[in-house]
């Protein structure tokens, strides 16, 4: 499985005495889209934060393009620069304009010139449908617009993979589709992605595989069609029926 | 009861101005150095490395439990001993103020950093920034903005505290005003003048910063 962009094997994590990841494994190949779903508190956010080393873990291993995330010698900033991440609450920098939000890391991490970074940022803003918002501040944008800027900001680093942590769960219902459309577009273009979401319509349409987490374990990890037609674990059946009802 | 002689102030102005220069320079150096060293202390205190956070906490606790006047004495007598040569009252006062104020600014800045959502640091680090880059480019600007009013208050307190340097033979504005008051027997005039000067400076400083702060948050 050396083709995997992200490979997690038997990851265990404790927050103090709380055992929150109990041997989680996941493999994401180039161009693959994996959706992770599961009840709140099951460890989804913690698991994807382990994938780019934002959270340390105690056992198991995670390889990103063959580089071990948990190894003390690993240059984590360099590794993270190749993995984009989008958060539930956007986390745009409130003291910076939209264009500055997007150019900050390319200029300071990739050492791009301002002009080059701004050209790239404008192209990305067009791509997420916000070409006219470059000088706006995050507080002047709707939630959906902020999340699209956050996606553009992550893409500005030209990542080999993207991690999404419930990108639409903080949005008003009418803004969910504008964000999912952008993510779906990325998936169609072949971006490697791990998406934590409860948007099962999106999962059906865009995911190659769906993983179901519960209480710190990956209970199922199967091709999308199989997952929806015939969920194996009783827990995921219950979860699906609850979530698909509304 | 003779009338007040305000001319005494005009005659003493050059002398008073020398004192004001000492007060302003000490404040400037103390704020600048205190904020710089305080930022380092705050970052150390919030660091996951225990040795760093314990060292910073020990520093802050020590300097916050000692009166400023003692620290002034201490550096006035100890720094020359340590260096083996005299450094002068002004230099030792600057060092004392910077080290003392850093403990207070450090705590203010630490509160400022803690007030910034943790997700901001995570987002910055997720984009490939190092911890220090994320602090410098994303977290600290927000922390300083949130803490500007408190830091201003601390700077004003410090400006007033510079009058303590009379204990190590320095002549700040307040000290000079007392000297003139005693020498010319014009206590009311000089102390009224000093009060007005302190009020005008501190009040306009707070107005200036308030207007600076307003358009900053968009
Ligand atoms: N920083 C933290 N400190 C302590 N416990 C945490 C922390 N973050 C998450 N947890 C705990 O870890 C478990 C998994 O959380 P999380 O990964 O956020 O779940 P999910 O994203 O699936 O809702 C929860 O029980 C949560 O309370
Ligand atoms: Mg979560």
């Amino acid at each position: 499985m050396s083709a995997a962009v992200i490979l997690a094997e038997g990851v265990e994590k404790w927050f103090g005495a709380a055992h929150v990841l109990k041997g989680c494994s996941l493999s994401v190949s180039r161009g693959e889209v994996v959706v992770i779903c599961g009840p709140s508190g099951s460890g989804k956010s913690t698991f994807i934060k382990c994938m780019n080393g934002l959270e340390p873990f105690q056992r198991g291993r995670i390889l990103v393009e063959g580089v071990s995330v948990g190894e003390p010698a690993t240059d984590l900033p360099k590794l993270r620069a190749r993995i984009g991440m989008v958060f539930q609450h956007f986390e745009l920098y409130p003291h910076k304009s939209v264009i500055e939000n997007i150019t900050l890391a390319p200029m300071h991490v990739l050492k791009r010139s301002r002009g080059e970074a701004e050209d790239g940022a404008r192209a990305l803003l067009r791509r997420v449908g916000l070409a006219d918002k470059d000088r706006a501040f995050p507080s002047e944008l709707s939630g959906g617009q902020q999340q699209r800027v956050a996606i553009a900001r992550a893409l500005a680093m030209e990542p080999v993979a993207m991690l999404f942590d419930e990108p639409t769960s903080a949005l008003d219902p009418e803004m969910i589709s504008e964000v999912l459309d952008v993510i779906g577009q990325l998936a169609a273009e072949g971006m490697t992605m791990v998406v934590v979401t409860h948007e099962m319509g999106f999962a059906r349409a865009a995911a190659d595989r769906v993983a179901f987490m519960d209480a710190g374990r990956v209970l199922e990890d199967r091709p999308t069609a199989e997952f929806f037609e015939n969920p194996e674990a009783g827990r995921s059946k219950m979860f699906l029926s609850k979530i698909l009802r509304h | 009861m003779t009338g007040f002689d305000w001319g005494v102030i005009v005659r003493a102005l050059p002398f008073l101005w020398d004192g004001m220069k000492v007060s302003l320079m000490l404040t400037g150096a103390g704020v600048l150095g205190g904020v710089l060293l305080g930022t380092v202390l705050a970052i150390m205190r919030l660091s996951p490395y225990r040795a760093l956070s314990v060292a910073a906490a020990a520093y802050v606790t020590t300097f916050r439990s000692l009166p400023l006047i003692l620290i002034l004495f201490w550096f006035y007598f100890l720094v020359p001993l340590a260096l083996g040569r005299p450094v002068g009252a002004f230099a030792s006062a600057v060092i004392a103020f910077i080290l003392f104020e850093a403990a207070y600014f450090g705590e203010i800045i630490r509160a400022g950093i803690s007030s910034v959502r943790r997700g901001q640091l995570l987002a910055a680090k997720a984009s490939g920034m190092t911890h220090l880059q994320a602090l410098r480019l994303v977290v600290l600007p927000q922390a300083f903005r949130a803490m500007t009013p408190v830091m201003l208050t601390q700077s004003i307190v410090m400006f007033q505290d510079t009058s303590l340097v009379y204990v190590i033979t320095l002549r700040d504005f307040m000290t000079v005003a007392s000297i003139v008051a005693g020498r010319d027997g014009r206590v009311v005039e000089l102390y009224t003048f000093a009060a007005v000067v302190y009020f005008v400076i501190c009040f306009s400083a707070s107005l200036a910063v308030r207007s600076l702060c307003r358009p900053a948050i968009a």
Side-chain angles (χ1 to χ4, degrees):
Chain A
M1 284 295 285
S2 61
V5 179
I6 299 171
L7 177 68
E9 286 177 336
V11 176
E12 307 218 16
K13 169 158 182 89
W14 284 261
F15 278 117
H19 196 184
V20 297
L21 296 180
K22 303 169 182 169
C24 293
S25 300
L26 194 77
S27 164
V28 189
S29 308
R30 197 165 300 284
E32 211 174 11
V33 177
V34 177
V35 158
I36 302 180
C37 61
S40 170
S42 56
K44 307 178 298 294
S45 298
T46 306
F47 191 27
I48 70 165
K49 280 183 193 144
C50 288
M51 291 178 194
N52 64 356
L54 281 182
E55 285 286 0
F57 51 93
Q58 284 79 31
R59 289 215 193 118
R61 60 175 196 155
I62 296 179
L63 304 181
V64 172
E65 296 187 298
V67 177
S68 177
V69 175
E71 212 69 54
T74 298
D75 184 346
L76 279 179
K78 192 174 159 200
L79 182 145
R80 291 186 191 119
R82 298 179 55 74
I83 307 265
M85 190 164 206
V86 173
F87 298 82
Q88 184 173 1
H89 297 287
F90 329 134
E91 303 300 351
L92 293 183
Y93 311 132
H95 59 302
K96 304 237 174 242
S97 67
V98 163
I99 193 123
E100 289 168 337
N101 262 274
I102 300 174
T103 56
L104 194 65
M107 285 171 62
H108 290 274
V109 176
L110 303 178
K111 309 293 177 197
R112 299 257 162 89
S113 71
R114 179 181 298 278
E116 206 182 338
E118 288 190 345
D119 289 346
R122 292 219 171 75
L124 285 166
L125 281 174
R126 277 196 296 279
R127 199 160 141 196
V128 300
L130 293 169
D132 55 331
K133 297 292 186 193
D134 56 339
R135 296 287 153 203
F137 278 83
S139 59
E140 299 163 342
L141 302 181
S142 73
Q145 292 172 329
Q146 289 188 56
Q147 195 60 301
R148 285 186 280 154
V149 172
I151 294 170
R153 177 175 71 176
L155 290 174
M157 296 296 287
E158 292 162 14
V160 294
M162 293 272 287
L163 306 172
F164 292 86
D165 189 4
E166 303 207 32
T168 59
S169 62
L171 296 177
D172 293 333
E174 71 272 16
M175 294 172 187
I176 290 176
S177 66
E178 70 190 54
V179 171
L180 288 182
D181 286 349
V182 170
I183 303 175
Q185 179 69 32
L186 273 178
E189 288 164 13
M191 175 62 80
T192 307
M193 328 200 279
V194 179
V195 186
V196 175
T197 185
H198 291 161
E199 295 294 333
M200 290 300 124
F202 169 81
R204 259 186 218 276
D208 297 299
R209 294 202 336 267
V210 179
F212 175 78
M213 283 185 72
D214 187 34
R217 291 199 167 83
V218 179
L219 290 188
E220 289 206 49
D221 174 2
R222 304 169 61 207
T224 306
E226 265 182 52
F227 177 84
F228 284 107
E229 259 102 77
N230 185 24
E232 252 164 22
R235 289 285 302 165
S236 43
K237 259 182 224 167
M238 261 168 53
F239 177 78
L240 268 179
S241 66
K242 227 185 272 173
I243 230 172
L244 293 177
R245 211 177 296 142
H246 45 72
Chain B
M1 277 272 276
T2 54
F4 297 126
D5 173 18
W6 298 104
V8 67
I9 290 166
V10 177
R11 287 191 295 280
L13 270 183
F15 192 25
L16 288 164
W17 173 238
D18 283 343
M20 183 52 78
K21 278 193 289 196
V22 169
S23 297
L24 290 177
M25 282 192 294
L26 279 175
T27 308
V31 170
L32 232 110
V35 168
L36 278 176
L37 182 56
T39 306
V40 173
L41 285 169
I43 292 171
M44 284 171 66
R45 249 196 121 165
L46 294 168
S47 142
Y49 300 106
R50 234 186 105 66
L52 291 183
S53 65
V54 167
Y59 179 100
V60 169
T61 310
T62 307
F63 275 88
R64 296 226 301 182
S65 41
L66 297 173
L68 174 57
I69 198 161
L70 182 67
I71 294 169
L72 280 168
F73 269 133
W74 217 55
F75 278 93
Y76 185 54
F77 294 112
L78 278 195
V79 171
L81 278 184
L83 292 179
R85 59 185 172 82
V87 292
F90 186 76
S92 69
V94 166
I95 295 170
F97 267 102
I98 289 176
L99 295 181
F100 182 78
E101 292 300 323
Y104 288 83
F105 281 118
E107 285 301 280
I108 294 171
I109 295 161
R110 179 168 76 117
I113 293 175
S114 304
S115 77
V116 178
R117 299 162 47 97
R118 191 177 127 76
Q120 290 283 303
L121 180 70
L122 292 185
K125 288 174 92 166
S127 73
M129 292 182 206
T130 63
H131 186 70
L132 286 181
Q133 276 181 320
L135 286 173
R136 180 167 60 85
L137 299 168
V138 173
V139 177
L140 285 176
Q142 296 181 59
F144 277 115
R145 220 159 268 189
M147 289 298 127
T148 304
V150 191
M151 298 220 284
L152 172 81
T153 310
Q154 181 63 30
S155 307
I156 290 173
V157 169
M158 186 187 153
F159 175 63
Q160 294 161 355
D161 280 351
T162 55
S163 58
L164 284 178
V165 295
Y166 76 90
V167 299
I168 56 169
T169 73
L170 278 180
R171 290 178 171 184
D172 73 299
F173 176 70
M174 190 60 226
T175 306
V176 171
S178 322
I179 291 172
V180 175
R183 184 192 64 192
D184 298 352
R186 288 293 172 183
V187 172
V188 176
E189 289 88 339
L190 262 304
Y191 287 164
T192 307
F193 178 68
V196 169
V197 167
Y198 273 111
F199 178 80
V200 167
I201 288 177
C202 295
F203 187 67
S204 49
S206 60
L207 283 187
V209 167
R210 218 179 300 162
S211 65
L212 262 178
C213 281
R214 213 173 287 130
I217 301 283

